[in-house]
């Protein structure tokens, strides 16, 4: 599978809790403006495609596309459609592909949604966050619950699937407030809901307010209680958890998100976006150069790796500031800030971390094969296979279940203590 993620770094205003790579200016220089953004991303697509060809990567047609941000819907709908059309021309799009954009309820209406549907989009994820006015105010959100309902209704009429995102644990949010938000989201009739615990970063406005004592710090026990409330209410409404923070009716899971958790290949486009490839062949080119970015960022589109016929996993990330990102594109360079090789040991760690977040579970047999593969690498290590006997205490503690086909699935308690479950697995295998 191959996925494409497009980061749109523009917002109408910056929310107090947000530490994403977003900007409120309309023009950030070097062509990275709201009006020209689609053109710049399309140019990055072409550079990325050439880089893939130069490094022996032949991806299948794109299975999912996701526009995130920032606020993708701050751009004109025709710009989102233009970027989607470019993906279709450059990589091809699978017939049953899932095409999603995040949307701020304040920035879309029926006409906007209809234009997306006509352009090939299949899904809209609305940033609802809460249904309680004082919580929305604390989060610096300007939309109202009515805006969310109007957006969902417009998507339904246009034949698009809808999802809503919720955030729990905001300062001043009571358990009853949270129940109101969850039941309001369910009553919208959507088939997919994400619910994320609030993460407070010290450099954000909210982080500074909490440090100054003007807002209370989120409480772990409070967040755990809210997770349990959501899980119960979603389950009663027919929404099943399929990833720690995501619930859906069967068949309505976000395929793009599942691709991340299943560790597929994806290209990330736009300032700060990350890309991931499971196998990169190091090509022999006359202009061979280091894979990592030169000073100032960006890699030549035709740069080789200087070694022939070596395959490995790769993770890269775009230059974060839009002006510098745009400068690299204008100079015909893939706008990476840097990249790194994924070693067999790191791949093993990722398989464990990602698999233990999914309802489909961690494939123990696959993990043991990965352990054996890592053991054949040149890096000295002391990796150990995981046995069912080792897992028995975690089963007894109610953290996991193990199926007959050796799939390890976290229980609700295991989801709440997910970091601890992952750490125990790391201890088992010796990473």
């Amino acid at each position: 599978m191959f996925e494409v993620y497009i980061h749109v770094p523009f917002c109408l205003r910056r929310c107090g809790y947000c530490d994403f790579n977003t900007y409120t200016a309309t023009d950030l220089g070097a062509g990275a403006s709201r009006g020209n953004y689609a053109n710049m991303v399309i140019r990055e697509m072409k550079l990325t495609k050439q880089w893939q060809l130069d490094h022996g990567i032949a991806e299948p047609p794109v299975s999912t596309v996701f526009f995130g941000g920032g606020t993708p819907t701050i751009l004109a709908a025709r710009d989102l459609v233009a970027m989607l059309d470019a993906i279709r021309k450059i990589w091809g799009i699978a017939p049953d592909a899932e095409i999603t954009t995040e949307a701020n309820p304040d920035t879309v209406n029926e006409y906007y949604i209809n234009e997306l549907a006509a352009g090939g989009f299949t899904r809209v994820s609305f940033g609802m966050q809460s249904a309680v006015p004082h919580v929305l105010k604390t989060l610096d959100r300007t939309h109202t619950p009515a805006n969310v309902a109007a957006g969902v209704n417009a998507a339904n009429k246009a034949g698009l699937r809808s999802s809503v995102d919720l955030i729990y644990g905001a300062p001043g949010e009571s358990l009853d407030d949270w129940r109101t938000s969850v039941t309001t989201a369910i009553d919208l009739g959507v088939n997919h809901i994400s619910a994320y615990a609030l993460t407070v970063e010290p450099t954000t406005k909210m982080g500074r307010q909490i440090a100054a004592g003007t807002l209370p710090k989120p409480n772990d026990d409070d967040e755990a209680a809210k997770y349990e409330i959501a899980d119960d209410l979603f389950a009663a409404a027919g929404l099943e958890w399929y990833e720690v923070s995501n619930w859906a009716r069967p068949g309505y899971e976000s395929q793009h998100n599942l691709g991340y958790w299943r560790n597929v290949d994806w290209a990330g486009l736009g300032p700060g976006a990350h890309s991931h490839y499971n196998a990169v062949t190091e090509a022999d080119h006359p202009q061979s150069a280091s894979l990592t970015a030169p000073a100032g960022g960006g890699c030549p589109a035709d740069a080789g790796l200087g070694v022939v016929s070596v395959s490995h996993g790769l993770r890269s990330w775009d230059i974060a500031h839009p002006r510098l990102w745009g400068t690299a594109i204008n100079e015909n360079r893939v706008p990476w800030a840097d990249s790194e090789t994924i070693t067999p040991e790191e791949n093993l760690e990722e398989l464990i971390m990602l698999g233990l977040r999914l309802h489909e579970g961690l494939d123990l047999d696959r993990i043991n094969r990965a352990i054996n593969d890592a053991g054949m690498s040149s890096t000295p290590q002391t990796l150990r296979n995981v046995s069912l006997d080792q897992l028995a205490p975690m089963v007894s503690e109610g953290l996991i279940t193990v199926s007959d086909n050796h799939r390890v699935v976290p229980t609700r308690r295991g989801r709440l203590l997910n970091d601890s479950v992952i750490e125990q697995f790391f201890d088992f295998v010796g990473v």
Side-chain angles (χ1 to χ4, degrees):
M1 289 179 60
F2 177 51
E3 303 184 335
V4 172
Y5 170 78
I6 296 176
H7 183 72
V8 179
F10 302 103
C11 280
L12 291 172
R13 59 180 291 176
R14 189 172 184 85
C15 298
Y17 64 92
C18 178
D19 73 332
F20 295 161
N21 189 37
T22 61
Y23 306 82
T24 56
T26 58
D27 191 334
L28 293 157
S33 65
R34 290 186 196 176
N36 193 50
Y37 191 70
N39 295 328
M40 296 298 289
V41 169
I42 291 168
R43 291 174 63 188
E44 184 182 0
M45 289 180 198
K46 294 174 181 176
L47 291 168
T48 300
K49 174 65 173 182
Q50 187 59 54
W51 180 89
Q52 291 174 345
L53 293 173
D54 289 344
H55 295 88
I57 300 173
E59 298 288 6
V62 174
S63 56
T64 73
V65 179
F66 195 100
F67 291 78
T71 308
T73 50
I74 205 172
L75 302 181
R78 64 178 176 274
D79 288 343
L80 301 186
V81 172
M83 288 184 275
L84 181 59
D85 287 342
I87 292 172
R88 187 175 290 109
K89 293 175 183 176
I90 292 169
W91 285 288
I93 295 179
D96 58 347
E98 176 191 89
I99 314 295
T100 304
T101 185
E102 292 180 339
N104 181 324
D106 283 344
T107 61
V108 297
N109 56 29
E110 185 174 353
Y111 302 103
Y112 193 106
I113 295 290
N114 287 342
E115 193 169 348
L116 293 181
F121 282 76
T122 66
R123 190 171 176 273
V124 183
S125 179
F126 293 96
M128 177 177 173
Q129 319 313 355
S130 175
V132 179
H134 79 85
V135 176
L136 289 171
K137 183 178 181 180
T138 299
L139 294 172
D140 281 337
R141 302 291 291 189
T142 59
H143 70 267
T144 66
N147 294 136
V148 179
V152 170
N153 289 336
N156 289 341
K157 290 179 182 178
L160 301 182
R161 293 184 175 187
S162 293
S163 173
V164 295
D165 290 353
L166 297 174
I167 292 177
Y168 58 91
E173 179 188 58
S174 68
L175 293 180
D176 284 341
D177 289 337
W178 176 238
R179 287 191 188 91
T180 296
S181 293
V182 172
T183 55
T184 301
I186 291 169
D187 290 345
L188 290 170
V190 296
N191 294 309
H192 186 285
I193 301 175
S194 301
Y196 303 104
L198 177 67
T199 300
V200 179
E201 299 295 340
T203 56
T204 62
K205 174 186 172 183
M206 180 176 286
R208 292 189 293 272
Q209 290 173 318
I210 289 173
T214 57
L215 284 178
K217 183 179 179 180
N219 178 276
D220 289 344
D221 290 338
D222 174 73
E223 290 186 344
K226 288 172 180 174
Y227 185 93
E228 292 178 329
I229 288 170
D231 198 39
D232 286 340
L233 292 173
F234 291 150
L239 298 162
E240 301 175 1
W241 82 274
Y242 70 93
E243 190 274 332
V244 168
S245 300
N246 289 276
W247 291 257
R249 299 186 194 283
Y252 288 86
E253 300 84 358
S254 167
Q255 297 305 307
H256 188 85
N257 287 342
L258 279 174
Y260 288 151
W261 303 124
R262 291 168 177 165
N263 224 19
V264 304
D265 284 11
W266 70 83
L269 308 167
H274 286 229
S275 299
H276 174 270
Y277 297 96
N278 281 296
V280 177
T281 300
E282 297 184 352
D284 184 22
H285 291 287
Q287 301 94 345
S288 290
S290 170
L291 178 61
T292 54
C299 295
D302 62 351
L305 300 175
V307 181
V308 182
S309 300
V310 176
S311 294
H312 54 72
L314 174 73
R315 183 185 298 106
S316 66
W317 47 97
D318 274 23
I319 298 165
H321 195 281
R323 178 174 54 80
L324 298 178
W325 170 84
T327 297
I329 292 173
N330 291 333
E331 294 174 354
N332 202 38
R333 293 182 286 129
V334 179
W336 289 356
D338 211 341
S339 63
E340 62 185 7
T341 296
I342 302 172
T343 67
E345 291 83 359
E346 289 168 337
N347 180 63
L348 175 61
E349 291 176 358
E350 290 183 2
L351 290 175
I352 292 171
M353 288 190 293
L354 299 174
L356 287 173
R357 293 186 65 89
L358 290 172
H359 187 270
E360 66 188 39
L362 178 68
D363 185 341
L364 196 59
D365 295 331
R366 182 185 180 190
I367 288 300
N368 284 333
R369 288 194 300 272
I371 289 170
N372 293 333
D373 290 343
M376 295 169 62
S377 72
S378 59
T379 305
Q381 48 73 44
T382 56
L383 297 179
R384 302 175 294 272
N385 282 3
V386 181
S387 69
L388 295 178
D389 288 342
Q390 285 177 295
L391 302 181
M394 295 177 72
V395 173
S396 298
E397 293 170 26
L399 295 172
I400 60 171
T401 62
V402 183
S403 67
D404 291 339
N405 63 346
H406 299 170
R407 290 256 178 193
V408 180
V409 181
T411 62
R412 182 157 79 181
R413 183 164 183 262
R415 283 180 270 156
L416 288 168
L417 299 173
N418 197 248
D419 288 346
S420 174
V421 172
I422 291 169
E423 288 173 5
Q424 290 189 58
F425 261 86
F426 282 176
D427 288 341
F428 291 152
V429 304
V431 295

